[in-house]
Amino acid sequence: MHNYYKKNNVIPSNNWNSASKSLTSCHLYHYAGNNPITYTDPNGEYAGLVLDRVDANGMGHIGLFVQTGDDSWSYFEVYPFDKNGEQAYHHIKCDDTSDMVSILSKNRMSFPCGKIAELLAGGKEAGVIQRDFSSKDVMMAYFTSRKFSEILSFETTTEQDSIIYNNAVSSGKDFSGYSLIGNNCGTWAMNVLSTEGSGINKIDYAKDPFKNESNFFLGIYMSNAPNGAWLIFCLSNPEGKTESIK
């Protein structure tokens, strides 16, 4: 009998890399992890995270985005400010393609603070910044200009997008006391994105590692470092999709 598949490999290529280790999630034509009853996306909308792995001296930097209309988007991030009230880390030079920029909060850092904060972060204050974009292409151009490395997307509904957006705005206005441990860009984005009703999960990785003394520092890293927060969301949401930003 002729072996058709040996001669013609018809498995299609897929530019989206699943965060799951399940083979079904890696196939281009397997919608929602091949489980459309549990995972659905009737509106074709998305929310998710964007990551810069090398920012903050290798600890990484995370921001979150959410769709707010047919093709309009908002991006939120916790970031330090310099003494002039501008975003610190002066090495960030990008094309700001956003239609509107709003500073939702700006307060003194808790840790680091004073001169140490200026040395490490470029300023003594930190807060939440919101950027609105007229299309996904415009938002992606901004991410590319900022040299973000990866994007993690979750399929959402209009109602879920509204919950995430409203929580991002309200908690962004209330944000204060930035700390490298427990209250940074990664922890804030995780809490906002996994708010009740968003449909996005967040496992508490810190519980089990703290029971094992050898994993003490791993638990701290996973629960606080932006790169660790990224991994937590990948593990918590196997239906999520990652893509490299070029």
Side-chain angles (χ1 to χ4, degrees), residues 145-158:
S145 180
R146 278 281 299 273
K147 301 189 185 314
F148 282 106
S149 53
E150 295 171 73
I151 188 170
L152 174 60
S153 300
F154 307 102
E155 296 171 342
T156 54
T157 65
T158 302

Side-chain angles (χ1 to χ4, degrees), residues 32-50:
N34 211 27
N35 189 355
I37 296 177
T38 301
Y39 306 123
T40 62
D41 182 30
N43 300 311
E45 298 193 352
Y46 290 92
L49 299 169
V50 64

Side-chain angles (χ1 to χ4, degrees), residues 192-205:
V192 170
L193 207 55
S194 62
T195 187
E196 184 177 357
S198 69
I200 301 172
N201 302 313
K202 181 190 71 172
I203 59 175
D204 189 351
Y205 188 84

